[in-house]
Amino acid sequence: MEILITRSLAGMLLLPGIFILLMAGSLLLLFRAARATTQASYFNQQALTTAADKMSARSRILRRIAITCFALVLLGLYVFSIPATARALMGLVETYPALTAQDIKTSSAQAIVILGAGRYTAPEYDGFALSPLALERLRYGAYLHRQTGLPLVLSGGDPFHEGISEAALMQQALLDDFKIRQAMTEDKSTTTAENAFFTKKLLAAQGINRVYLVTHAAHMPRAVRMFKQAGIKVTPAPLHFLSLPSGDNRGLLGWMPSARYFERSNAALHELLGGVWYSLRY
């Protein structure tokens, strides 16, 4: 139930939902402004000057508000679509640095926990397949496993009851794509908080309380908070930093709108809003 509530709220408060609400509000205001104009015309015909003036003033105010909303939508579409904004927003949530070789050498972690990141319906595989984000996490977790020899823990449930958990899909991908046969699975969680809660129970049964935590750099602050609250000592192992400059977002290109950077801006806002929600919820 929580995942349905949070995703519904995010759909309305994040991009592009908030812009859709603003546009809908603008259209409603324009409709009411047109009604006020019609009423003002009627009052003028009836020589009701005061009432006509009030309706005319109301119509002007409603139109100005509607035009302001339209302008905000246009400005927002541009601002959140440019690399400069996406990088700045990602910089607010990508607060944990990448692991270095020295970090790996000196860490006291006893296992590597990889958090799930979704899946999609894949008829080409006769079922489901991991999302690109989930595969990125799995790849980095496999890399750390080869560097350290530590056991892997895969965390991810089946939030929409589709018949197979993310943890099971990750386990199969580990075998098929990375030739890693052994991994523990936690297959009940549907949120980041539940990732931490159910993984804690699994780790406690193995006498493990210190782990590398593998997830995307933008998601790491929320994940670390939940795992620490669960009583697990965490060495953050973030990946895929989107706040760093690259060839397609330097100079003039940094100010050109792109659907890809609109999506990144939204992802950063999602983590910022998620951090606020988790502060209130947990």
Side-chain angles (χ1 to χ4, degrees), residues 23-124:
M23 291 292 288
S26 299
L27 292 174
L28 178 61
L29 289 172
L30 287 175
F31 174 74
R32 299 190 66 173
R35 286 188 60 186
T37 299
T38 301
Q39 289 176 333
S41 177
Y42 172 78
F43 290 141
N44 272 322
Q45 292 174 5
Q46 301 299 316
L48 300 173
T49 306
T50 302
D53 289 343
K54 286 183 179 179
M55 286 297 101
S56 294
R58 182 182 182 186
S59 177
R60 287 194 298 272
I61 291 171
L62 292 174
R63 288 179 187 278
R64 287 171 183 168
I65 295 174
I67 290 171
T68 300
C69 289
F70 274 121
L72 287 174
V73 171
L74 288 174
L75 179 63
L77 284 172
Y78 172 72
V79 168
F80 289 113
S81 296
I82 60 175
T85 301
R87 283 182 54 202
L89 289 173
M90 278 295 175
L92 297 177
V93 291
E94 293 183 346
T95 54
Y96 287 94
L99 286 177
T100 65
Q102 185 63 24
D103 293 331
I104 296 173
K105 188 179 298 185
T106 59
S107 174
S108 60
Q110 301 164 286
I112 301 164
V113 176
I114 308 173
L115 303 187
R119 40 53 177 319
Y120 63 92
T121 303
E124 67 273 24

Side-chain angles (χ1 to χ4, degrees), residues 110-275:
Q110 301 164 286
I112 301 164
V113 176
I114 308 173
L115 303 187
R119 40 53 177 319
Y120 63 92
T121 303
E124 67 273 24
Y125 292 117
D126 194 26
F128 297 94
L130 292 174
S131 72
L133 296 179
L135 283 173
E136 286 180 353
R137 296 179 186 182
L138 203 60
R139 181 185 181 190
Y140 187 47
Y143 167 80
L144 286 177
H145 169 72
R146 292 192 174 105
Q147 292 290 312
T148 64
L150 295 175
L152 291 167
V153 181
L154 313 175
S155 177
D158 181 13
F160 299 108
H161 310 291
E162 295 173 298
I164 187 170
S165 69
E166 288 183 34
L169 287 171
M170 292 164 74
Q171 187 176 43
Q172 189 62 48
L174 268 182
L175 177 60
D176 294 343
D177 302 327
F178 300 96
K179 310 307 176 188
I180 297 175
R181 297 183 179 278
Q182 297 296 322
M184 293 179 278
T185 59
E186 177 286 298
D187 60 3
K188 297 182 177 62
S189 59
T190 61
T191 66
T192 302
E194 290 182 356
N195 283 144
F197 176 77
F198 289 117
T199 299
K200 168 65 176 179
K201 298 178 73 172
L202 176 65
L203 294 175
Q206 302 294 323
I208 297 172
N209 69 347
R210 301 187 305 275
V211 302
Y212 287 110
L213 183 59
V214 176
T215 189
H216 281 76
H219 180 236
M220 187 60 77
R222 193 153 52 100
V224 167
R225 178 189 298 176
M226 290 298 99
F227 273 74
K228 285 184 175 179
Q229 283 190 17
I232 302 171
K233 296 179 181 178
V234 171
T235 298
L239 63 131
H240 202 161
F241 291 80
L242 298 176
S243 59
L244 302 178
S246 61
D248 64 347
N249 61 32
R250 290 191 175 100
L252 181 61
L253 292 177
W255 302 96
M256 298 299 292
S258 164
R260 176 171 55 171
Y261 288 100
F262 185 84
E263 183 179 358
R264 289 186 182 182
S265 292
N266 187 57
L269 292 172
H270 174 87
E271 288 304 326
L272 291 170
L273 183 63

